[in-house]
Structure formats: structure tokens, C-alpha cells
Amino acid sequence: MRGSRVRLLAVVALVALLVTSGCLTTDPAVELNTTESAVFAEASASGSVAIGQVNAKLSLVPNATTDEGVDRLLVVAPNGETFHRTTLDSGQSSAAILLPPDGSATIVAANTVNGTVVETRNATITGDSLR
């Protein structure tokens, strides 16, 4: 009985901390303009709750990693710091990425072999931040 009470208090304290710090977001969504994109086909948020970061899935156009040579995706936060990075394999058609929980981010598709930026797109991340 005592152990379960301690666990309950710990969970309540954690939830209170997350809610008051603004790190808990419900119903996260990602908007990414993919019109005439050479790399990005679609973006969507995964899950109904985000704590400190939004899990998202990027679908790539079929030739992004082959013809365009994209082998790395970078997520840049509004403050200019890299929030997340992931490496892509040739032929890969989608990638899981992490985004800041609300506001915006820039997604950069790069070819690290020749050191070029293939494309950048601004993403808008929305959701209900519990405060």
C-alpha cells in the first residue's frame, strides 16, 4: 500500500511539472508545404501526446535519396540550433524525425557527400500546450 502511494505521488508530481513547464502538448500536428518539392512528399505527427518533442514521420519523394542524393535530414529550431538529425540510406522513402513541440522548425535535406543543401522547408508544429 505504501509503495503504490509513493508511485502515485511521483506520477502526480511528474505530470504537474510537465503541465506547468509547458512541455506537455496534446494533439500535435505538423504542417509542411510540399508543393513542387524535390525531396518531401508529406509530414505527419505520430501520437496524441508530445512531451518536449513531437515525433513525426516524413515521407520522401521516390528519388530523393537516389537522384537527389539526400543522405541526411536536419531539424533546425527557431533559435538556429540543430534540434534533431538523422541519416538516410539510398532508396529510403520515409524517416522518423523529432520536432520542437510548438511553433516552427526548418527541415534541411542535405547531401553530405558533396556538401550541398538539396532543399529546406519550414514546418509549423501545432498542438494544445497544457499550462
Side-chain angles (χ1 to χ4, degrees):
M1 178 81 168
R2 181 160 164 55
S4 62
R5 186 174 297 174
V6 170
R7 274 191 293 254
L8 176 61
L9 287 173
V11 168
V12 169
L14 176 62
V15 169
L17 177 65
L18 292 172
V19 168
T20 59
S21 68
C23 293
L24 182 65
T25 303
T26 59
D27 299 321
V30 179
E31 295 176 28
L32 184 70
N33 181 356
T34 59
T35 303
E36 297 183 20
S37 175
V39 177
F40 305 108
E42 185 178 26
S44 61
S46 304
S48 59
V49 176
I51 300 174
Q53 60 195 19
V54 172
N55 294 317
K57 179 182 177 185
L58 279 180
S59 296
L60 308 174
V61 298
N63 63 341
T65 59
T66 52
D67 296 350
E68 299 295 333
V70 176
D71 60 0
R72 175 152 307 158
L73 296 174
L74 302 168
V75 176
V76 181
N79 65 4
E81 293 184 16
T82 300
F83 188 84
H84 177 78
R85 75 182 75 214
T86 189
T87 302
L88 302 174
D89 295 323
S90 182
Q92 190 169 335
S93 61
S94 66
I97 62 169
L98 301 175
L99 297 167
D102 59 0
S104 64
T106 302
I107 303 173
V108 180
N111 178 326
T112 60
V113 173
N114 65 15
T116 61
V117 171
V118 177
E119 187 172 299
T120 62
R121 292 286 167 142
N122 292 323
T124 303
I125 304 97
T126 59
D128 298 320
S129 182
L130 300 177
R131 296 181 190 262

